[in-house]
Amino acid sequence: MSLPKKEKIVSGEDVFTEDKYIDRKLRPKTLSEFIGQEKIKQSLLICLTAAKQRQEALDHILFNGGPGLGKTTLAYIIANELKTNIRITSGPALERAGDIAAILTALEEKDILFIDEIHRLNKTAQEILYPAMEEYAIDLVLGKGPSAKTIRLELNHFTLIGATTKPSLLPSPLRDRFGMTWSLNYYQTKEIEKILENSAKILGLKIERQALQEIAQRSRFTPRVANRLLKRVRDYNQVRNKDGFISKNIAKKALDLLGLDKIGLTDMDYKILETILNKFKGGPVGLKTLAISLGEEMSTLEEIYEPFLIQTGLLERTPRGRKITSKGLKHLGYQRGMF
Ligand SMILES: Nc1ncnc2c1ncn2[C@@H]1O[C@H](COP(=O)(O)OP(=O)(O)O)[C@@H](O)[C@H]1O
Ligand SMILES: [Mg+2]
């Protein structure tokens, strides 16, 4: 997805090359270091303990959730907690039958196979995956035409961890083959603050608590965005402030420069809200009409901007379309009843 630079900073996706580096460096390694998502953590702890006691492979797991909320992190944590190998791949990377067959046959007992963006697996790959998940076997077709033969290859008992930002696009036979499905939600601001505190420690930063709060408030409830903003604040501080200590004021200035308002809204978020308000009398307006009016793709609107605007309570999804809320109006500086 191509986004303007400002929007990329808050997109949650790992769009920058530096993201891979920050992600790796700041990624928690154990379940106890993983902040928030308490329900998932508790259930996971039980499953992990039970699988360890039985010395069996863990059941297949599906993680749903927006970009930057911790899906990949959890997959690594599971492998780390179980002390197993983890093999990382993604839906679009498994183009041919041979790609996925090669990976599956190389897995050892209890290994983890992580497939990111699993909703983007093509049909061929999905069909190989079904018996692999269910019966730990794959059926390979050798040759063509009437002389073609099918041979069955047994696989080691592995665990598939799938991650998707769009669970609705997952075919139901695939969805049904996961023993557990968990959805990651947006984080509380307090949790983001804790994540930032840990990140600041790892990065060796001297930073005021209020500066962390300032970043947390603009992080769109998303750990990856929070860590990215922290890095930008660090850069700003290094260039503009000689004494090295990051104060609230410094953080504020750095974040203002990035074009984020006090709750993390960007120009684009404003443009969306203002378009609904000015062109559609505050809504409801259908997604398609809105997308055309904004010159944006529907999927970008729906997956990147809308969830956050809904989470902040500024936008509402109704059966008749998107509608600005009274909180949204207030945020834009209008009062209810003005139009
Ligand atoms: N619960 C969490 N606690 C601490 N850090 C987190 C948490 N979730 C995500 N992060 C941070 O955010 C980054 C992005 O998370 P990641 O797992 O790659 O997201 P996703 O795979 O869902 O896009 C990680 O590198 C990690 O630093
Ligand atoms: Mg990921």
Side-chain angles (χ1 to χ4, degrees), residues 14 27 68 71-73 114 116 163 224:
D14 49 348
R27 191 164 265 153
K71 301 180 296 296
T72 304
T73 303
F114 177 65
D116 209 359
R224 179 178 286 127

Side-chain angles (χ1 to χ4, degrees), residues 15 46 192:
V15 281
I46 292 171
I192 296 282

Side-chain angles (χ1 to χ4, degrees), residues 2-30:
S2 87
L3 297 166
K5 190 152 192 279
K6 239 187 221 169
E7 308 303 328
K8 276 185 181 172
I9 290 171
V10 295
S11 80
E13 289 177 276
D14 49 348
V15 281
F16 295 105
T17 35
E18 63 171 285
D19 282 334
K20 306 249 185 292
Y21 169 75
I22 324 177
D23 275 6
R24 222 175 316 146
K25 191 161 177 172
L26 300 181
R27 191 164 265 153
K29 307 262 179 315
T30 62

Side-chain angles (χ1 to χ4, degrees), residues 20-287:
K20 306 249 185 292
Y21 169 75
I22 324 177
D23 275 6
R24 222 175 316 146
K25 191 161 177 172
L26 300 181
R27 191 164 265 153
K29 307 262 179 315
T30 62
L31 209 51
S32 55
E33 292 168 33
F34 191 85
I35 312 290
Q37 314 286 351
E38 295 304 328
K39 273 192 192 144
I40 297 181
K41 264 194 311 197
Q42 280 172 24
S43 319
L44 204 49
L45 190 62
I46 292 171
C47 300
L48 290 176
T49 312
K52 267 194 252 180
Q53 282 170 357
R54 290 197 306 262
Q55 301 191 329
E56 275 177 8
L58 192 68
D59 222 348
H60 306 306
I61 297 176
L62 178 66
F63 288 122
N64 299 328
L69 293 180
K71 301 180 296 296
T72 304
T73 303
L74 281 174
Y76 276 107
I77 287 177
I78 291 170
N80 186 39
E81 297 274 353
L82 291 174
K83 299 189 175 51
T84 54
N85 304 312
I86 178 166
R87 172 74 208 252
I88 310 279
T89 185
S90 76
L94 300 171
E95 221 176 295
R96 289 164 302 134
D99 298 333
I100 188 159
I103 290 177
L104 287 168
T105 49
L107 293 173
E108 290 169 28
E109 195 72 16
K110 297 188 207 138
D111 275 3
I112 286 169
L113 171 61
F114 177 65
I115 307 184
D116 209 359
E117 296 183 73
I118 195 163
H119 60 275
R120 292 179 61 190
L121 267 188
N122 64 30
K123 263 233 127 55
T124 318
Q126 283 168 25
E127 264 148 32
I128 292 178
L129 211 49
Y130 294 155
M133 289 174 79
E134 216 161 47
E135 299 154 39
Y136 301 105
I138 52 175
D139 298 311
L140 287 182
V141 184
L142 299 181
K144 278 196 181 113
S147 64
K149 263 197 308 208
T150 306
I151 57 157
R152 172 154 274 223
L153 280 182
E154 298 295 329
L155 302 172
N156 287 314
H157 288 196
F158 68 100
T159 298
L160 176 67
I161 302 183
T164 177
T165 48
K166 301 182 191 167
S168 61
L169 294 186
L170 221 58
S172 55
L174 182 54
R175 211 175 320 155
D176 295 345
R177 281 174 169 81
F178 286 96
M180 292 167 276
T181 300
W182 283 308
S183 298
L184 282 83
N185 295 317
Y186 280 124
Y187 290 69
Q188 307 285 332
T189 309
K190 276 268 168 272
E191 293 166 346
I192 296 282
E193 239 179 88
K194 183 74 196 143
I195 291 172
L196 283 168
E197 192 187 325
N198 293 344
S199 300
K201 224 177 269 165
I202 296 171
L203 295 172
L205 303 181
K206 278 183 269 164
I207 186 162
E208 198 174 29
R209 165 143 308 272
Q210 283 169 315
L212 292 177
Q213 286 166 350
E214 193 66 36
I215 301 170
Q217 269 155 22
R218 305 200 203 192
S219 68
R220 303 168 80 91
F221 319 117
T222 307
R224 179 178 286 127
V225 176
N227 283 337
R228 194 185 281 156
L229 295 182
L230 179 68
K231 259 208 93 198
R232 295 301 160 105
V233 169
R234 173 178 83 162
D235 291 349
Y236 181 92
N237 187 60
Q238 189 181 318
V239 176
R240 292 286 171 87
N241 180 23
K242 298 273 168 342
D243 87 5
F245 182 76
I246 305 175
S247 63
K248 177 182 179 181
N249 200 26
I250 288 282
K252 240 185 166 132
K253 282 190 184 149
L255 295 168
D256 286 345
L257 208 62
L258 292 173
L260 297 171
D261 85 350
K262 62 182 197 307
I263 60 165
L265 258 52
T266 62
D267 293 350
M268 186 59 195
D269 298 310
Y270 275 97
K271 197 171 152 199
I272 295 169
L273 293 174
E274 277 163 0
T275 301
I276 299 177
L277 181 63
N278 298 328
K279 291 202 179 155
F280 304 101
K281 299 195 172 109
V285 51
L287 183 67

